[in-house]
Amino acid sequence: MSRIGVFVSGRGSNLAALHAHLARTGGAKVAFIASDRANSGAIAWARERGIQHAVIADQLGQPHQMLSLLRAHDVELVVLAGYLRLVPADVVRAYRGRMVNVHPALLPSFGGPGMYGARVHRAVLESGARVTGPTVHFVDEIYDHGAIIAQWPVPVFADDTEAALAARVLRAEHLLLPRVVQQLAAGTIRLDDAGRVMSAHRELSPERAAFMFDMPEEDALADSMAIALGT
Ligand code: GRF
């Protein structure tokens, strides 16, 4: 049974989705929850369920606190689910290939420092992009930068508000993140020594992130494009 540690800054809906999925599928469980905010919904949520948890109030002042907590709780995999701070480099090193983040846009676009929450969706809307969606990636020392494991396309509609778009992407996050974590826990997805994302069957390169998309023959593809363009 893989022990998962989840880091959360905000409400924790991805945490809840992950917990529910793992409770159904088994093989891994949410064993520890950490937040940089005492008033995070995730801390109350953990308390109600009797899941071990901690508030990491000032991680910059205590760079080793996070690592000791993870070790003390035998955490094997770390999931950043709406965690807004940069993870200290010693923790990233210790958990290389065993720490993932979920981001609500298709990286490498619309990511990096300051790109979180509504700002991400606002930037997507302002860009005029027609497709967005969640990215799950391994964590490295740079915000939103590590090797991409999986992405899922979500349409952007002309009359979208930030809230409507955020809600549509969040639905996909809640499905994608738990499934990636399940595969990581099972060892069927992993980061190799060269930094490539490998699945049981093939390489999932950073350039070719994992999602199912049927690429039909030219005629069918052209028909779909004509329909999408309103012709
Ligand atoms: C999600 O959109 C996630 O992609 C981003 O922060 C948000 C967290 O939402 N990193 P929640 O706390 O899981 O509800």
Side-chain angles (χ1 to χ4, degrees):
M1 174 77 79
S2 290
R3 294 174 61 80
I4 316 284
V6 187
F7 286 18
V8 184
S9 296
R11 73 197 146 183
S13 71
N14 275 289
L15 162 67
L18 176 63
H19 179 264
H21 181 85
L22 296 178
R24 273 199 310 276
T25 56
K29 70 170 187 178
V30 176
F32 176 63
I33 294 165
S35 181
D36 54 324
R37 299 182 184 176
N39 61 358
S40 161
I43 293 295
W45 188 92
R47 200 177 289 125
E48 280 163 23
R49 283 162 186 77
I51 299 176
Q52 299 287 317
H53 55 277
V55 177
I56 305 170
D58 181 10
Q59 70 183 48
L60 289 176
Q62 298 164 299
H64 302 296
Q65 185 196 6
M66 198 182 267
L67 204 47
S68 347
L69 278 169
L70 292 172
R71 286 183 174 149
H73 290 93
D74 295 322
V75 169
E76 293 154 273
L77 274 176
V78 177
V79 177
L80 308 184
Y83 185 67
L84 298 181
R85 293 185 182 237
L86 196 63
V87 176
D90 61 336
V91 184
V92 171
R93 267 197 301 278
Y95 280 87
R96 193 173 300 283
R98 296 188 296 138
M99 185 184 301
V100 297
N101 178 47
V102 59
H103 183 76
L106 298 175
L107 294 173
S109 297
F110 309 112
M115 270 297 197
Y116 60 87
R119 294 184 197 188
V120 177
H121 304 293
R122 192 177 315 141
V124 169
L125 289 174
E126 282 172 359
S127 76
R130 288 284 155 244
V131 184
T132 185
T135 299
V136 182
H137 64 94
F138 284 111
V139 173
D140 67 9
E141 287 82 354
I142 303 171
Y143 269 120
D144 300 329
H145 178 265
I148 293 170
I149 302 169
Q151 300 184 303
W152 206 265
V154 170
V156 181
F157 299 127
D159 58 355
D160 265 340
T161 59
E162 281 164 32
L165 186 57
R168 193 176 311 122
V169 173
L170 194 63
R171 284 176 55 206
E173 291 183 45
H174 289 169
L175 298 172
L176 188 63
L177 177 67
R179 285 164 176 79
V180 171
V181 173
Q182 187 187 350
Q183 299 293 310
L184 286 166
T188 45
I189 290 179
R190 62 183 176 83
L191 188 68
D192 78 1
D193 292 341
R196 287 175 307 207
V197 180
M198 309 297 289
S199 85
H201 310 295
R202 64 189 187 285
E203 176 184 345
L204 297 175
S205 78
E207 293 78 25
R208 198 167 161 277
F211 61 81
M212 290 299 293
F213 183 84
D214 288 330
M215 194 67 181
E217 296 301 316
E218 262 61 11
D219 284 354
L221 190 55
D223 285 348
S224 300
M225 287 176 181
I227 293 166
L229 291 167
T231 48

